[in-house]
Structure formats: structure tokens, C-alpha cells
Amino acid sequence: MADGDARRGDPARDPADAGAAAQAAAQKAVLERPDIRRALTRIAHEILERTKGGDDVVLLGIQTRGVTLAHRLAAQLEQVEGRRVPCGSLDATMYRDDLRLKPARALGRTELPPEGVEDRIVVLVDDVLFSGRTVRAALDALNDLGRPRAVQLAVLVDRGHREVPIRADYVGKNLPTSMRETVKVLLDENDAREAVMLGPAGEERE
């Protein structure tokens, strides 16, 4: 009886657990911690160059990992320029055009810095650019918060396969992928690991 119970509880013999284990094993890291650090440093310098010192820049991270990346970029910009760069978060969930097609998701927080976004250069920050629908929803959400002078987009990874005409201004890594693959960004603050993983396709169409 005990042996039978042990076999039934053995993850290796459970089809669901075995499938999850196989999927995890199929994933591979395409960016590691040093690569992510270099990519963000490069993006920070490109932002400063393109915005002529970043005087009027406001960073808004798209929930969830985009917020983490936005705060990291803000720290990088502050280190270079010696002054604080306004940084906030933006949740675009209720502006998505596919809400009825997906399970309900928890709402994140939208927090604007005290400077707001009026007549500012807003840099939206996200982890992965895929279909472009998340960014389009973020633009709609931003439109309800104020009227920036300009809006730019910074992403850690651009994996292609756009479904709407969205293009990033700053890209950490262009990563050609097939539709049979998925890209997952793992960050210390969110996942207790730092890497960009490529693996079998999931359901997300960001």
C-alpha cells in the first residue's frame, strides 16, 4: 500500500507534472544576468542621447515586469545624469481588446510620478514586444492620463510577429522566434532569477 501510494505521488509518474517538467527542460536561456545588465545600460544611454539629456523624460513601466525594468532604467539614468528621473507604472488591462477571450487577470497599479505626463517625453517600458496589443492598450490608457509631448517605447526583447503597427524606439535584444516558441523574462525582483528564457509556445499574445 505504501509503495503504491508513493508511486501515485511520484511527480515523474504524474502526467501533468511530467509535462510541466518536460516543458521546463525544453526552455533555454538566451540572455543571462550580464546580458540583461548590458542591454539596459545601452538603452539608458540611447534614451539620454535621443532626448538630449533626458530633462523632460518620464518612465512608465507597463505592468508587471515592465515596471521593474523602468525602475532599473531610472536608476541608470540617475547614475549618469546625477538627478532623479520620474518613474511610474501603467496598467493597461482594462484597455485590452482581447479581455473577453482571456481568463480574468488581476489588475495592477497605475501610479504617475508627481510630475505627471503633460508635455513630457513619456518612455513606456515593457519586457517583451510581441503582437503589439499590450502596447496599443497602454497608449489608450496613457491617453486618459494626460497629453505627453511625445511617447516612446523601450523593450528588453523584441521577438517580432506584430499584429498592429507598433515599433520600439529602444530594444535590448532583437530575438527572432517562431510562433511555436514563447519568450519569458525572469527578473530578480519578480522571479528570484535573472534570465530571458526561450521555450515551447504558451498562450500569451502580448
Side-chain angles (χ1 to χ4, degrees):
M1 179 68 71
D3 289 343
D5 290 342
R7 282 195 297 271
R8 284 193 291 273
D10 183 353
R13 296 176 179 270
D14 187 302
D17 288 343
Q23 185 174 27
Q27 293 183 341
K28 64 177 181 179
V30 292
L31 293 179
E32 297 281 7
R33 186 185 307 275
D35 306 307
I36 294 173
R37 183 175 62 250
R38 284 192 293 268
L40 292 178
T41 298
R42 186 176 69 254
I43 289 174
H45 282 88
E46 289 175 355
I47 290 173
L48 290 174
E49 181 179 358
R50 183 161 179 170
T51 61
K52 297 178 172 56
D55 288 341
D56 296 321
V57 167
V58 173
L59 300 174
L60 287 184
I62 299 174
Q63 293 282 2
T64 298
R65 288 169 183 80
V67 178
T68 302
L69 295 173
H71 282 288
R72 290 191 189 182
L73 284 172
Q76 293 257 14
L77 295 174
E78 182 176 354
Q79 184 177 5
V80 174
E81 291 297 302
R83 57 179 171 75
R84 187 184 71 86
V85 175
C87 185
S89 62
L90 184 65
D91 181 71
T93 301
M94 299 309 297
Y95 292 82
R96 294 188 65 103
D97 61 3
D98 57 358
L99 274 180
R100 69 185 187 281
L101 305 176
K102 290 190 171 187
R105 63 175 70 184
L107 295 179
R109 299 178 66 178
T110 292
E111 293 184 343
L112 294 185
E115 293 83 354
V117 298
E118 288 291 333
D119 201 34
R120 296 273 181 164
I121 301 173
V122 173
V123 180
L124 296 175
V125 183
D126 207 0
D127 55 351
V128 179
L129 179 56
F130 185 14
S131 71
R133 293 183 181 276
T134 294
V135 176
R136 184 177 69 176
L139 290 170
D140 289 340
L142 181 61
N143 186 59
D144 284 347
L145 298 174
R147 190 176 187 275
R149 185 195 324 161
V151 182
Q152 299 174 359
L153 174 63
V155 298
L156 180 60
V157 176
D158 184 347
R159 61 164 298 185
H161 304 290
R162 218 72 78 240
E163 295 175 0
V164 293
I166 298 289
R167 182 175 63 86
D169 300 276
Y170 313 102
V171 179
K173 173 73 172 178
N174 284 293
L175 185 63
T177 62
S178 77
M179 295 299 289
R180 297 184 299 278
E181 294 173 313
T182 189
V183 175
K184 177 70 173 176
V185 172
L186 304 175
L187 301 173
D188 285 335
E189 298 91 330
N190 305 94
D191 312 288
R193 187 187 172 187
E194 193 91 354
V196 175
M197 308 297 294
L198 182 66
E203 296 298 323
E204 283 299 312
R205 300 295 301 279
E206 298 296 339

